[in-house]
Amino acid sequence: MSHDIGCSGSSFMVTDRTKVKRLSERGKYEKKVVYDILDECLTCVYSFCPVNKYGFRVDDQEVPTPMSIPQSCVRYGNYLLTHGKSNSTLMKHMAQGFPVSVAATLIDGVVFARSGFNHSMNYRSVVIYGTAEEVTNMEEKRKLLNHVIDHLTYPGRA
């Protein structure tokens, strides 16, 4: 499964949805910064609301339960790749063209303070919104799977 994360220039477009709200001066939208984080990550969390999977009732209506699934993720050019079982809820959801959000986080350090209330973490993260596309061409699948294996292990392993 692949997810196009490309941008035409050197920075991603900032929208109301993608703009960092709290401590907005820390938000970075440059392609190099985003791609460096994705290249260092080994896992991402895919979040979605599966169709026809109802978990609870609100005002007498069944409401889909949001799901978050950790998955391997590897950037390949302007695409974010993930690999999974084709009949899993996540893969079926993405193959149907429904929206997902993907979060990648790198923890750089834990900051301890005198008070537990003031402890914090230094981290870098990327959140991607969009839809995925299924890779169906077997030759392309092999090439991309080899790229995933090489990224998650070491170059040449595949």
Side-chain angles (χ1 to χ4, degrees), residues 15 29 129:
T15 66
Y29 304 93
Y129 301 99

Side-chain angles (χ1 to χ4, degrees), residues 26 33 36-37 40-41 104-112 120-126:
R26 293 187 180 182
V33 173
D36 284 350
I37 292 169
E40 196 173 332
C41 271
T105 304
L106 298 171
I107 306 294
D108 295 320
V110 178
V111 180
F112 294 103
S120 66
M121 280 194 238
N122 292 332
Y123 65 93
R124 294 170 287 146
S125 66
V126 172

Side-chain angles (χ1 to χ4, degrees), residues 76 81 83 135-150 158:
Y76 183 78
L81 306 175
H83 174 65
V135 178
T136 56
N137 178 288
M138 288 307 290
E139 188 176 314
E140 185 74 4
K141 267 188 183 184
R142 278 189 204 93
K143 178 179 88 171
L144 296 175
L145 183 57
N146 286 343
H147 180 75
V148 169
I149 292 168
D150 284 351

Side-chain angles (χ1 to χ4, degrees), residues 8 11 15 22 39 44 51 69 119 125-126 144 148 151 154:
S8 57
S11 292
T15 66
R22 186 172 181 274
D39 290 345
C44 293
V51 177
I69 308 290
H119 294 341
S125 66
V126 172
L144 296 175
V148 169
H151 179 79
Y154 57 87

